[in-house]
């Protein structure tokens, strides 16, 4: 029996740890694990690669290079956002290549899980998804593979920026990844003791953002407060470009705070790479365990979720992992992004209620 695995969409630290765990668990349960290179494109082209090997006595074990894989960032299988898979012909070709597999594990974000759902419903392929996205924008799972490492990277970067900011008494606006979801900005702002956070879900226009930035800088550097650093974390998804926001904030404070510099740092892809943290290896491995189990039990069209923030889902042998139908995951992901999910509403409410606290 053999199981296929692919990584798709934006890579995230911990994907490799998931692949390693899937290879071990599959081997332990007597199944082979075969990797698909370059996401759904590779599935269409039949680009398979063995990840396990047969030992004497019909035993199966991960290839030696897979066994050491858990500590590496990125994804050993490569990843793409496949345009060909969006078309019915692409999906039909992909399904055909899976004919002699027990099932497919898809490790990826929103688009990847939507593709997995299409494969399952249109072609009856047995597919189990794992949420992997540094943005933490996947429904039904409290965290995704990669989020913790990305946050640790942001925290380290902000600590470094804070050192130099304090030396010169400067304000910084630090932009972090998160196209549709401001989770990385919100969570890191709390962790680094930022003075303010800006994210798309607040729905603020450019003038309001400039005014908020100027206000927090004025208050922080007021003589009676005497701060040496003002740090504002801004999510990538906020439509105003960071450089423009900084320029306008600088102009706005110029008269009151001559000599105070406002600087911009865009962390960009720096946040997506790096060796996975303990948590991402642990979460990625345990989700992969449940995914292999699910395939071997003949389950399909579901995602394994980590400590779901909502009731429901099917319990697994792991008390932190529950399986949700992919349809429900996709629906909840949409609501997370458009702001109608109670999870997003709660996040926004908590940040807004604590705006004054951050600025203290
Ligand atoms: O994986 C999610 C993400 O990192 C977003 O935060 C970001 O907007 C996007 O991917 C960047 O994608 P790309 O690497 O294709 O430019």
């Amino acid at each position: 029996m053999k199981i296929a695995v692919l990584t798709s969409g934006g890579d995230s630290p911990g994907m490799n740890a998931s692949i390693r765990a899937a290879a071990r668990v599959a081997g332990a349960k007597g199944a082979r694990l075969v990797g698909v290179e370059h996401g759904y494109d590779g599935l269409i082209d039949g680009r398979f690669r063995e990840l396990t090997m047969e030992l004497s006595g019909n035993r199966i074990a991960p290839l030696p290079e897979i066994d050491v894989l858990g500590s590496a960032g990125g994804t050993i299988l490569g990843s793409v956002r496949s345009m060909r898979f969006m078309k019915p012909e692409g999906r039909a070709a992909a399904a055909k290549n899976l004919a002699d597999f027990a099932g497919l594990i898809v490790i990826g974000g929103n688009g990847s899980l939507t593709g997995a759902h299409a494969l399952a419903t249109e072609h009856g392929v047995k597919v189990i998804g794992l949420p992997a996205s540094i943005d933490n924008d996947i429904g039904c799972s409290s965290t995704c593979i990669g989020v913790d490492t990305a946050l640790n990277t942001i925290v380290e970067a902000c600590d470094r920026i804070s050192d130099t900011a304090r030396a010169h008494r400067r304000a910084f606006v630090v932009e972090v990844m998160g196209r549709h979801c401001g989770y990385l900005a919100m969570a890191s702002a709390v962790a680094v003791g930022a003075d303010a956070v800006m994210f798309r879900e607040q729905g603020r226009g450019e003038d309001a953002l400039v005014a908020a930035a100027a206000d927090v800088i004025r208050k922080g550097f007021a003589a009676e407060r005497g701060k040496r650093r003002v740090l504002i974390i801004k999510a990538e998804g906020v439509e105003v470009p960071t450089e423009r926001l900084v320029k306008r904030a600088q102009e706005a404070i110029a008269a009151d705070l001559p000599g105070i510099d406002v600087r911009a740092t865009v962390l960009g892809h720096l946040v997506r790479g790096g060796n996975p943290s303990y948590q991402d290896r642990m979460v990625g491995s345990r989700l992969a365990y449940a995914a292999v189990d699910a395939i071997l039990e003949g389950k399909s069209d579901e995602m394994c979720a980590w400590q779901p923030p909502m009731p429901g889902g099917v319990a697994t042998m792991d008390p932190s992992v529950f399986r949700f139908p992919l349809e429900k995951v996709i629906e909840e992901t949409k609501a997370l992004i458009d702001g109608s999910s109670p999870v997003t509403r709660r996040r926004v409410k908590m940040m807004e209620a604590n705006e004054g606290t951050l600025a203290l």
Side-chain angles (χ1 to χ4, degrees):
M1 177 177 301
K2 54 182 184 170
I3 297 171
V5 60
L6 63 78
T7 51
S8 163
D11 58 287
S12 62
M15 281 180 158
N16 283 329
S18 286
I19 296 168
R20 178 184 62 180
R24 287 183 169 197
V25 176
K29 295 186 182 234
R32 280 163 55 201
L33 186 73
V34 178
V36 182
E37 293 181 327
H38 302 299
Y40 288 118
D41 272 355
L43 194 55
I44 294 169
D45 298 333
R47 293 186 58 170
F48 293 110
R49 164 182 173 184
E50 289 289 340
L51 301 176
T52 48
M53 59 188 179
E54 269 189 43
L55 305 177
S56 58
N58 288 334
R59 288 171 305 135
I60 299 174
L63 289 173
E65 62 266 33
I66 302 307
D67 223 19
V68 294
L69 192 64
S71 59
T75 161
I76 191 185
L77 293 175
S79 192
V80 291
R81 294 193 169 95
S82 173
M83 294 301 145
R84 287 192 285 155
F85 191 74
M86 304 237 178
K87 301 203 174 114
E89 315 84 82
R91 292 196 290 276
K96 223 168 148 196
N97 284 334
L98 286 169
D100 54 348
F101 282 85
L104 168 72
I105 299 172
V106 171
I107 309 173
N110 188 13
S112 315
L113 298 170
T114 305
H117 179 54
L119 259 189
T121 50
E122 293 170 9
H123 298 282
V125 173
K126 298 244 184 297
V127 191
I128 297 291
L130 298 188
S133 158
I134 62 163
D135 294 354
N136 212 16
D137 56 351
I138 306 297
C140 306
S141 190
S142 63
T143 196
C144 299
I145 299 163
V147 174
D148 184 66
T149 310
L151 280 170
N152 287 327
T153 305
I154 295 170
V155 166
E156 191 191 338
C158 287
D159 286 349
R160 287 168 187 249
I161 288 167
S162 296
D163 287 345
T164 175
R166 287 196 184 98
H168 294 272
R169 217 162 161 253
R170 279 179 177 154
F172 272 83
V173 177
V174 176
E175 182 188 301
V176 300
M177 270 194 167
R179 194 169 18 200
H180 303 301
C181 175
Y183 182 83
L184 287 180
M186 298 180 221
S188 62
V190 174
V192 303
D195 298 85
V197 57
M198 299 175 171
F199 49 96
R200 188 190 59 87
E201 295 89 324
Q202 288 167 317
R204 293 185 181 165
E206 180 168 335
D207 289 346
L209 291 170
V210 172
D215 187 50
V216 90
I217 295 168
R218 270 194 215 100
K219 285 190 177 133
F221 289 134
E224 59 164 3
R225 184 64 184 83
K227 281 195 181 199
R228 294 201 57 85
R229 172 217 76 168
V230 169
L231 181 65
I232 299 169
I233 311 271
K234 170 184 172 283
E236 173 193 4
V238 172
E239 269 171 23
V240 190
T242 300
E243 291 287 350
R244 189 157 85 217
L245 178 68
V246 162
K247 187 168 173 288
R248 288 195 57 194
Q250 180 79 71
E251 287 161 7
I253 62 151
D256 311 324
L257 293 170
I260 291 285
D261 256 356
V262 189
R263 298 290 181 95
T265 302
V266 176
L267 295 181
H269 289 79
L270 192 84
V271 169
R272 216 162 73 185
N275 294 355
S277 63
Y278 152 73
Q279 180 170 304
D280 280 328
R281 297 182 202 197
M282 188 264 297
V283 169
S285 301
R286 286 168 65 177
L287 290 175
Y289 194 116
V292 171
D293 261 359
I295 298 253
L296 294 178
E297 284 168 23
K299 303 286 189 273
S300 181
D301 202 15
E302 293 181 329
M303 184 191 81
C304 298
W306 184 259
Q307 296 175 351
M310 67 239 290
V314 176
T316 68
M317 65 164 281
D318 187 325
S320 290
V321 179
F322 289 75
R323 293 196 321 263
F324 283 83
L326 276 171
E327 193 175 4
K328 166 89 185 142
V329 172
I330 292 161
E331 185 191 306
E332 176 58 14
T333 300
K334 187 170 166 287
L336 263 187
I337 290 167
D338 72 21
S340 60
S341 159
V343 175
T344 310
R345 286 206 295 266
R346 192 181 62 226
R347 285 176 185 168
V348 175
K349 200 170 152 202
M350 276 177 64
M351 295 316 296
E352 304 233 302
N354 283 296
E355 207 173 355
T357 317
L358 277 183
L360 275 181

